[in-house]
Amino acid sequence: MRRSSYEGIDFERRAVKELEYRQATAAHGGLLFMQTVPGIAYGDQVIVTDHRNHKRNGQVVQISDELVTIQVIEGTDDLDLERTWVRFLQKPFQVSLSTDVLGRIFNGIGKPRDERPPIVSALKRNVNGSAVNPAARAYPKEFIQTGIAAIDGLNSLVRGQKLPIFSGSGLPHNRLLAQIVRQAKLLGEESNFAIVFAAMGISYSDALFFQNNFESNGVLGNVVMFINQADDPTLERLILPRTALTVAEYLAFDEDRHVLVILTDMTNYAEALREISTEKGDVPARKGYPGYLYSDLAGIYERAGRIKNRHGSITMMPVVSMPSDDITHPIPDLTGYITEGQIVLSRELHSKGIYPPINISPSLSRLMKDGVGKNDTRDDHVRVANQLFAAYAKAQEVRNLASIIGTDELSEEDNHFLSFAHEFEAVYINQGEEHERSIFETLNIAWELLSILPASVLSRVSETDLARYHHWEGLPRDA
Amino acid sequence: MDGKLTQINGPLVRAELIEACIGEQVRIGKLSLMGEVIGREGNIALIQVYEDTESLILGEKVESLGYPLSVELGPGLLGQIFDGVQRPLKDLVQISGDYIPRGVNLPALNRDKKWLFETNSNLELENVVSGGMSLGIVKETELITHQILVPPNSSGTIIWLAEAGLYTLNDPVARIKNEQGTEELLYLSHRWPVRTPRPFKRRADAIAPLITGQRIFDTFFPLLKGGKAAIPGPFGAGKTMIQQQVARWSDADIVIYVGCGERGNELVDVLETFPQLIDPRSKRSLMERTILVANTSNMPVVAREASIYIGVTMAEYYRDQGLDVVMVADSTSRWAEALREVAGRLGQMPVEEGYPAYLASRLAAFYERSGRVHILGYEESVTGESRNNQGSVTLIGAVSPPGGDFSEPVTGHTKEIVQTFWALSKELADARHYPSVSWTESFSEYVSVTADWWVENVHPDWLKLRSEALSLLTQAQELMRIVNLVGPEALSSEQRWVLEGADLIKEGVLQQSALDEVDSYASPEKQFLLLQMMLVIYHQGESMLTIGMSVQALKKLPLLITAKRCKSNYSSEQTENLKLFIEQIKSDFQKYRIEYAQELL
Ligand SMILES: Nc1ncnc2c1ncn2[C@@H]1O[C@H](COP(=O)(O)OP(=O)(O)O)[C@@H](O)[C@H]1O
Ligand SMILES: [Mg+2]
């Protein structure tokens, strides 16, 4: 018995017949209120049957001695309370687990969306999962080559990491993700990821884009999709990532698979949470989002990782749209406080036609430090990355200066930095959608670019690195 | 006393429970979840629950235990990782697997392990002992000798004292009889309520710097043993790395690392790396002096609030043994948010950004538990003490301001409380200038006190060089403002050399990568020599300018980049090489001066 949190604790209660009542007293904004009935438990799943005999799913979110509050996933619109029946299933939301999920498409609560039969399995788990004991975790260290220089060279991803993409409307995060899915592999191995794709509130065309992509790469049999589209019930978005992650945990830690989880778009998730928390009257913290948004998001993101003595892993790449491109907005902000770095897309680079438009300055991979270097990629990797970051930051300063005083006034050294920045964006970052670079290619390109700069400004790399890889000719390239 | 559940609202529940008072521990329902009474409304007790409340049923039994949240204190704490209510997480894995179960109540300390107790030979039967006195010692790790203390609130005449030998925590080691004639058995461990600061004799002045091996702190914004510091910064700026660096390298006896609402993997990082890391002073594994407390961001929010107090109570306990303890808390903002969440569910009036009015006083009360003290029960005449008469608790809290905005309440209140403020800057972090500590926004009120230490132990010029370096940095900042308005042509040669001087300080001294094996720790002497080296170059260059050498020519000197690399090329054991290089610099400049004078002729 792996998870003791729910199993086996209340047979007593389950033995009682499921309870059905018609005592709802009010409904608004997705919440249904009814008189308290004995025996129901906090967090239980509920089936609400409306007057047309349509079933809706709900969950007990508050109980007092007078009132039970139920959050209804499909919403509470046009419920005729007199003719509405509420049935308490006396269990939390659960999902059925089997490897048959691969190749399938479900909705947020695990119901098939692909016109095929539901998953039948004796193994069911609570979608909320439980927290991994930190003492049981294994530190993620294995370098994943995504084939994308801006990631591999500067913000490396490792197996078991949670690394979000901070994006904005109209930016190519979907294409980038599709490219990563296509190319990601461990050095010297074929790609063998199982993919859990969790979509919350995305458009039909985006959902189709991914589906076609998986299909054309021939990986569909290794993908399980959970889809809630923009016109599907909002509150289903709250449970969808949890359902998806319960499946991911099963694949990773029961079935030894390396799982890549894609969550898109977490901003839609957080907005659904704000909607319901406002309705419940929770005290808001910033911009109307509840104070518990941090813990709530952490309950999702922290499910990524590795566990000692288990072979699988969960690598997570959530997409977070930054409202008005504002990285300090609570959703990207709190995400950044939880995840192990972030890949930030830039509208400016995108409008210059650069793909992928990754802005490296605010991007970060916190787990890079243990996943790259001598035994994992190449000895100079960390130092080269630092040098590129530092040189690009310096080049940005020079650019600012040039925009004020013009390039004529710049010193020779400053001009080197300007050409460096230009080449860095045009060559290193702008690699294109069809191009896959090995980490060694990526590092070699980096040295090409660093060779635009004289050794006297390259204090982040070692003398040995310089002797081996730096070949400055003492002349500006594009004089 | 039993009662029953009447309301469930996330981590906050209500129960009809007549006699339980505020602060009392309760057990809830069939699962026996742990909770604490935090308020009363008539017959109803308001209870915060340390575990997930899912599947609780209205009417379930609530049992009050009659005592407040407390921790177990005794040998065996070191090297452990505890959750926010002091459950031992490694043992929990053995018992319940990879996921944290609910309602499992394990003792914090191992009951079976036998410790070799050496009775304090100065104690005799009929001696009167009181709180804080040492009954004897146990070697807890190779590094730490653990004093077995009489619990702070106990006192009496010794009527029995165990002989030296092997004892478990269940075996008594002394029996005392108090003035009322009541007898009490004393053990190797005792319990203490976490929300009550442990008593001491009186406060002492903090005088010694906490040497962290990080130049930006020790040399520029020092902290004292017994001081309080905060590290505010946006995500990714380097708060956690700094706390880990302090936990690794600082010259404290004991380190308590509290992961409060942060990432699970960061604790794993400590758990996996510390046992292998060797303390530069004692040459022993760092894990032998370290205790971890973990309430990761996905663990129940109420235990997050408790975790800070669990940590600081253990810190005070080791302080009471005459030791210097450092506690780092990552992050105090998550703790404040836990307060906010409970306050919100209680319907308390929010004042700023949803935080309750008592945020500031709670923060202050927490930091007040730091300090250097004369320890309780230190009585040379009675016990022939083998420990120090003073101990200290240094508190270092990370602060995670939303959006990196330092004007938010937690940062604001914390800034008022602490004496050392290490403000992290997103701009520096983005440029990979680590540690990204801003030299304009940070402050330390301990500079003059630490100056005495540096003068005595390292070099009489410490204070002078420190101010010179800071002044170069400020001048450079001013000059850059001008450059950005009118261009570099507006600057004189001297001014351009100031910019280069500031770069030398930034790259050669301030930047210190935690990941650089050689430079991760820098001894005070190495810190001083690097600072001296950069300033020697700056001043020598200045004088070259007066004899007409151009800034361009100066900037091309290869010794500049060599100097910037010194930090990674020479370890703290190789300070002789640094001294030689400084001499070399001086003689090189002498040579340039001569060459230059000849050229001019
Ligand atoms: N002192 C340092 N030396 C080297 N790298 C650092 C240092 N501080 C921060 N970093 C880099 O920045 C990343 C984020 O630092 P971290 O301490 O996790 O930030 P925070 O806790 O403020 O979010 C680290 O993973 C590391 O790559
Ligand atoms: Mg951190």
Side-chain angles (χ1 to χ4, degrees):
Chain A
M1 192 180 67
R2 192 155 72 87
R3 225 169 293 193
S4 48
S5 72
Y6 203 87
E7 293 156 19
I9 49 167
D10 47 8
F11 294 116
E12 225 177 287
R13 189 160 70 85
R14 271 183 228 177
V16 181
K17 266 184 71 184
E18 290 175 353
L19 312 159
E20 187 148 14
Y21 296 92
R22 203 181 51 181
Q23 297 174 331
T25 50
H28 52 79
L31 296 178
L32 180 70
F33 303 87
M34 63 182 287
Q35 279 170 33
T36 287
V37 290
I40 57 170
Y42 187 70
D44 268 5
Q45 189 180 353
V46 175
I47 301 285
V48 178
T49 311
D50 66 20
H51 59 281
R52 283 189 226 92
N53 213 18
H54 289 170
K55 298 205 180 331
R56 308 184 191 192
N57 294 278
Q59 188 171 22
V60 176
V61 293
Q62 196 168 340
I63 318 177
S64 76
D65 46 6
E66 283 126 34
L67 213 62
V68 185
T69 312
I70 295 159
Q71 176 176 308
V72 183
I73 288 176
E74 290 84 356
T76 46
D77 287 351
D78 55 65
L79 278 184
D80 175 356
L81 297 184
E82 287 295 304
R83 290 186 288 159
T84 294
W85 287 87
V86 179
R87 187 153 57 95
F88 294 92
L89 300 191
Q90 309 221 342
K91 62 180 172 68
F93 269 97
Q94 292 180 327
V95 56
S96 298
L97 299 167
S98 118
T99 46
D100 295 344
V101 294
L102 290 168
R104 300 289 311 271
I105 306 175
F106 303 96
N107 74 0
I109 55 171
K111 297 250 154 63
R113 270 185 87 120
D114 52 7
E115 281 139 38
R116 288 164 61 192
I119 301 293
V120 184
S121 166
L123 182 61
K124 293 185 173 57
R125 283 200 191 121
N126 182 345
V127 299
N128 286 329
S130 16
V132 179
N133 186 328
R137 281 184 190 268
Y139 199 71
K141 298 186 174 166
E142 297 148 301
F143 176 77
I144 296 175
Q145 178 178 293
T146 66
I148 294 163
I151 297 179
D152 297 348
L154 297 166
N155 301 290
S156 318
L157 175 69
V158 299
R159 206 140 77 170
Q161 183 171 13
K162 39 189 181 290
L163 187 64
I165 298 177
F166 286 6
S167 187
S169 55
L171 295 180
H173 48 265
N174 288 342
R175 282 157 61 201
L176 178 59
L177 275 175
Q179 190 177 2
I180 292 173
V181 167
R182 204 158 60 226
Q183 299 178 168
K185 55 172 90 64
L186 289 210
L187 280 187
E189 284 183 21
E190 286 301 299
S191 172
N192 63 350
F193 283 106
I195 292 153
V196 171
F197 181 81
M200 292 148 279
I202 69 170
S203 68
Y204 170 75
S205 63
D206 283 353
L208 198 65
F209 168 83
F210 277 104
Q211 212 171 331
N212 290 341
N213 228 287
F214 295 142
E215 208 170 315
S216 63
N217 293 327
V219 295
L220 214 47
N222 275 326
V223 180
V224 46
M225 301 177 86
F226 294 87
I227 293 187
N228 165 280
Q229 278 170 207
D231 53 357
D232 288 329
T234 332
L235 294 184
E236 189 186 302
R237 292 168 202 166
L238 296 180
I239 212 154
L240 185 142
R242 296 181 162 83
T243 309
L245 281 160
T246 306
V247 169
E249 284 171 346
Y250 162 76
L251 291 172
F253 303 130
D254 292 42
E255 294 296 325
D256 293 346
R257 299 294 303 262
H258 292 291
V259 183
L260 177 62
V261 177
I262 290 173
L263 303 169
T264 180
D265 182 325
M266 288 305 289
T267 300
N268 296 337
Y269 169 86
E271 273 162 9
L273 190 70
R274 175 169 65 174
E275 199 175 305
I276 198 71
S277 73
T278 312
E279 205 56 56
K280 281 194 287 188
D282 296 332
V283 180
R286 277 174 77 219
K287 300 211 164 149
Y289 292 91
Y292 53 79
L293 178 59
Y294 175 84
S295 304
D296 187 279
L297 288 174
I300 294 172
Y301 297 141
E302 275 285 314
R303 290 172 81 170
R306 304 214 56 170
I307 292 180
K308 277 183 207 158
N309 307 322
R310 293 186 192 250
H311 299 295
S313 60
I314 297 179
T315 309
M316 190 188 285
M317 298 202 75
V319 172
V320 178
S321 296
M322 299 181 281
S324 329
D325 291 345
D326 176 10
I327 197 171
T328 68
H329 182 282
I331 304 169
D333 189 51
L334 295 179
T335 298
Y337 271 119
I338 302 164
T339 53
E340 285 145 344
Q342 64 279 339
I343 302 293
V344 183
L345 302 191
S346 139
R347 199 167 293 282
E348 192 189 328
L349 291 178
H350 181 61
S351 61
K352 283 190 195 167
I354 289 171
Y355 174 91
I358 295 177
N359 183 3
I360 63 146
S361 303
S363 298
L364 171 71
S365 164
R366 295 163 189 266
L367 300 187
M368 177 171 179
K369 60 190 174 74
D370 290 296
V372 306
K374 192 155 59 195
N375 302 321
D376 306 292
T377 52
R378 205 169 84 181
D379 180 44
D380 57 332
H381 191 158
V382 175
R383 294 184 299 274
V384 168
N386 271 328
Q387 187 63 70
L388 286 175
F389 277 119
Y392 190 59
K394 167 83 185 163
Q396 302 285 29
E397 274 176 36
V398 176
R399 270 186 178 167
N400 285 341
L401 184 58
S403 71
I404 301 163
I405 60 164
T407 45
D408 297 345
E409 298 275 305
L410 293 179
S411 68
E412 188 189 318
E413 187 181 296
D414 284 351
N415 272 309
H416 292 319
F417 275 104
L418 277 192
S419 1
F420 166 79
H422 180 263
E423 296 288 302
F424 178 74
E425 288 170 1
V427 178
Y428 189 94
I429 302 287
N430 187 27
Q431 78 177 69
E433 208 169 339
E434 297 308 322
H435 223 85
E436 182 175 350
R437 286 177 184 165
S438 80
I439 181 60
F440 307 104
E441 256 176 276
T442 292
L443 290 170
N444 291 340
I445 296 171
W447 276 109
E448 288 290 316
L449 299 170
L450 289 176
S451 296
I452 298 174
L453 298 167
S456 61
V457 299
L458 303 176
S459 64
R460 302 293 184 101
V461 288
S462 73
E463 278 137 343
T464 329
D465 296 336
L466 286 169
R468 192 173 301 161
Y469 303 109
H470 188 250
H471 43 86
W472 193 55
E473 274 137 37
L475 294 167
R477 306 206 137 197
D478 49 350
Chain B
M1 267 306 307
D2 285 1
K4 62 185 214 296
L5 265 185
T6 59
Q7 190 187 339
I8 307 157
N9 178 10
L12 190 81
V13 302
R14 284 164 202 254
E16 248 174 57
L17 194 63
I18 301 166
E19 268 165 20
C21 43
I22 291 179
E24 201 167 323
Q25 289 285 290
V26 296
R27 294 285 178 271
I28 303 149
K30 285 194 291 277
L31 277 173
S32 192
L33 303 183
M34 299 174 75
E36 174 179 359
V37 178
I38 54 167
R40 295 208 60 94
E41 288 167 2
N43 282 345
I44 301 291
L46 310 174
I47 297 165
Q48 58 176 10
V49 189
Y50 300 128
E51 304 179 74
D52 196 342
T53 51
E54 187 182 82
S55 79
L56 279 183
I57 304 174
L58 220 59
E60 278 201 88
K61 186 177 87 170
V62 178
E63 184 189 355
S64 62
L65 303 185
Y67 54 81
L69 179 63
S70 57
V71 284
E72 198 167 34
L73 301 167
L77 292 171
L78 293 173
Q80 287 291 330
I81 174 166
F82 299 106
D83 77 356
V85 287
Q86 215 200 12
R87 289 185 296 187
L89 287 172
K90 286 185 203 162
D91 296 349
L92 219 50
V93 176
Q94 301 305 318
I95 292 173
S96 344
D98 300 336
Y99 293 85
I100 295 187
R102 293 191 294 169
V104 175
N105 212 340
L106 272 188
L109 296 173
N110 188 322
R111 304 281 117 185
D112 304 324
K113 185 172 163 90
K114 291 200 153 135
W115 298 95
L116 180 61
F117 173 66
E118 287 177 53
T119 321
N120 184 345
S121 55
N122 292 294
L123 285 181
E124 290 167 15
L125 295 189
E126 299 304 317
N127 277 169
V128 175
V129 290
S130 60
M133 283 188 179
S134 175
L135 296 170
I137 54 171
V138 157
K139 198 142 185 74
E140 186 176 3
T141 63
E142 281 305 313
L143 209 54
I144 297 298
T145 301
H146 195 116
Q147 306 276 345
I148 303 304
L149 303 179
V150 176
N153 293 341
S154 300
S155 63
T157 314
I158 302 181
I159 50 179
W160 171 73
L161 188 61
E163 285 172 19
L166 290 167
Y167 298 93
T168 69
L169 299 190
N170 287 335
D171 305 323
V173 292
R175 179 185 286 126
I176 58 174
K177 189 180 196 168
N178 68 14
E179 282 176 5
Q180 287 77 43
T182 324
E183 292 189 6
E184 184 184 356
L185 284 174
L186 303 181
Y187 298 83
L188 294 180
S189 68
H190 64 263
R191 299 193 70 87
W192 187 260
V194 299
R195 297 188 200 279
T196 311
R198 284 174 66 91
F200 45 81
K201 236 184 237 164
R202 65 192 136 84
R203 287 194 182 268
D205 282 339
I207 39 169
L210 179 81
I211 297 297
T212 65
Q214 312 302 303
R215 291 182 288 271
I216 186 73
F217 305 144
D218 301 349
T219 301
F220 291 93
F221 303 103
L223 176 58
L224 294 182
K225 293 197 175 101
K228 34 192 182 221
I231 315 172
F235 65 83
K239 299 177 293 297
T240 302
M241 291 290 269
I242 285 173
Q243 300 230 11
Q244 291 190 355
Q245 284 296 81
V246 170
R248 277 189 196 115
W249 305 125
S250 60
D251 62 342
D253 300 309
I254 303 286
V255 170
I256 298 180
Y257 186 106
V258 183
C260 174
E262 295 288 310
R263 302 174 185 86
N265 279 335
E266 291 174 345
L267 290 147
V268 182
D269 196 9
V270 175
L271 275 179
E272 287 186 3
T273 55
F274 274 39
Q276 264 93 54
L277 285 170
I278 301 301
D279 175 33
R281 281 158 301 274
S282 66
K283 312 289 178 210
R284 300 287 314 176
S285 156
L286 281 177
M287 211 56 205
E288 290 183 14
R289 64 163 202 189
T290 309
I291 303 173
L292 303 180
V293 180
N295 174 280
T296 55
S297 57
N298 56 338
M299 284 155 82
V301 76
V302 173
R304 191 162 306 165
E305 195 265 340
S307 66
I308 291 269
Y309 294 107
I310 301 283
V312 77
T313 308
M314 293 193 289
E316 289 172 341
Y317 173 66
Y318 281 98
R319 172 202 69 189
D320 292 347
Q321 304 180 27
L323 298 174
D324 290 318
V325 187
V326 170
M327 170 168 141
V328 296
D330 190 10
S331 153
T332 57
S333 294
R334 307 300 165 218
W335 167 79
E337 285 164 11
L339 276 188
R340 174 172 71 184
E341 171 145 8
V342 172
R345 292 193 194 250
L346 281 173
Q348 285 167 345
M349 192 60 172
V351 290
E352 339 159 68
E353 300 196 9
Y355 287 105
Y358 48 79
L359 171 67
S361 61
R362 289 278 175 93
L363 271 171
F366 162 66
Y367 278 106
E368 202 49 28
R369 292 177 76 167
S370 66
R372 184 179 170 86
V373 304
H374 293 274
I375 60 181
L376 196 69
Y378 183 93
E379 304 291 347
E380 188 76 53
S381 54
V382 184
T383 53
E385 293 286 351
S386 62
R387 54 181 171 166
N388 293 330
N389 66 346
Q390 296 183 4
S392 67
V393 171
T394 311
L395 290 179
I396 306 175
V399 185
S400 317
D405 172 9
F406 286 7
S407 67
E408 61 91 36
V410 183
T411 318
H413 293 307
T414 304
K415 192 173 178 180
E416 307 266 294
I417 296 165
V418 297
Q419 263 91 45
T420 297
F421 191 70
W422 294 329
L424 304 193
S425 136
K426 180 159 171 48
E427 285 68 40
L428 291 176
D430 280 357
R432 270 54 177 178
H433 172 121
Y434 295 125
S436 68
V437 178
S438 154
W439 50 90
T440 47
E441 277 188 82
S442 301
F443 62 80
S444 164
E445 291 168 12
Y446 300 128
V447 177
S448 54
V449 183
T450 30
D452 297 343
W453 184 92
W454 282 86
V455 168
E456 204 166 297
N457 292 279
V458 184
H459 200 282
D461 286 347
W462 180 75
L463 198 58
K464 180 169 148 267
L465 296 197
R466 176 185 178 275
S467 351
E468 266 182 38
L470 280 175
S471 130
L472 259 183
L473 291 167
T474 334
Q475 284 177 54
Q477 205 143 9
E478 275 307 307
L479 294 173
M480 277 316 290
R481 244 194 289 275
I482 300 177
V483 169
N484 279 322
L485 286 175
V486 290
E489 295 306 313
L491 299 191
S492 67
S493 303
E494 283 74 19
Q495 288 173 322
R496 273 188 248 178
W497 186 239
V498 168
L499 293 183
E500 188 59 37
D503 266 359
L504 278 167
I505 302 284
K506 282 186 233 171
E507 290 182 45
V509 182
L510 300 184
Q511 291 177 10
Q512 183 177 7
S513 171
L515 308 175
D516 181 329
E517 260 176 55
V518 176
D519 201 32
S520 186
Y521 169 83
S523 67
E525 195 185 9
K526 177 176 172 183
Q527 300 189 23
F528 179 81
L529 289 170
L530 286 174
L531 182 63
Q532 194 181 34
M533 181 186 298
M534 305 310 148
L535 289 168
V536 164
I537 297 177
Y538 172 69
H539 290 307
Q540 295 281 347
E542 244 183 341
S543 81
M544 292 302 292
L545 291 174
T546 61
I547 60 167
M549 189 169 174
S550 73
V551 180
Q552 280 81 352
L554 272 174
K555 282 175 75 173
K556 289 216 170 90
L557 292 178
L559 62 82
L560 296 189
I561 188 141
T562 316
K564 288 177 187 171
R565 286 215 179 88
C566 272
K567 58 183 186 183
S568 308
N569 287 345
Y570 302 109
S571 73
S572 297
E573 272 81 55
Q574 296 168 302
T575 47
E576 283 312 310
N577 300 59
L578 293 173
K579 287 182 190 156
L580 284 178
F581 187 61
I582 293 176
E583 291 314 311
Q584 167 90 45
I585 291 168
K586 288 181 185 159
S587 71
D588 279 1
F589 271 105
Q590 188 57 27
K591 217 166 58 210
Y592 301 144
R593 241 188 302 276
I594 295 166
E595 280 171 16
Y596 212 77
Q598 279 168 351
E599 244 172 70
L600 285 183
L601 284 178

